[in-house]
Amino acid sequence: VGALNTFWRGAENLQINVSHAWEKHHRGALWAVSQAAPLRRVTVVGDLKLSPVGGGRASGGFMADVTITGKVIPGSQQQFFVRNSAIGQGWQGGVWN
């Protein structure tokens, strides 16, 4: 199932400074969600992963006014909408966006 049952969650107005390595070469935040899960006015120092670690699916999400110093790793994340955001090292890969 992965993140397909993670609905109605949100995070706003915060800075995330994460040094935990959740996969071999990635440090940062994990936001593995599905629809109705906004990320607004957030600064992520490091990478942002949008799908579950170790596999599983994620489908949909939204972020606005977000600053990410690293890269976004969508993994299995499908329809993810982004606006007015700065992604320092770009979007790495993707599936059905």
Side-chain angles (χ1 to χ4, degrees):
V1 171
L4 294 180
N5 59 354
T6 309
F7 293 95
W8 303 108
R9 307 234 188 320
E12 298 182 358
N13 303 319
L14 60 103
Q15 179 170 318
I16 303 169
N17 298 308
V18 181
S19 61
H20 176 72
W22 35 261
E23 284 184 335
K24 189 173 182 179
H25 300 290
H26 303 293
R27 295 183 180 277
L30 177 65
W31 189 251
V33 296
S34 288
Q35 293 87 17
L39 193 60
R40 295 185 187 112
R41 295 175 302 281
V42 172
T43 298
V44 177
V45 178
D47 296 339
L48 176 64
K49 183 169 172 65
L50 300 176
S51 62
V53 173
R57 297 179 181 96
S59 179
F62 171 79
M63 75 171 98
D65 304 314
V66 172
T67 300
I68 300 162
T69 64
K71 58 189 156 294
V72 173
I73 301 114
S76 66
Q77 181 57 258
Q78 295 176 46
Q79 309 88 20
F80 208 91
F81 184 75
V82 180
R83 73 176 172 112
N84 300 337
S85 296
I87 303 170
Q89 297 176 17
W91 197 277
Q92 178 183 319
V95 285
W96 303 283
N97 280 327

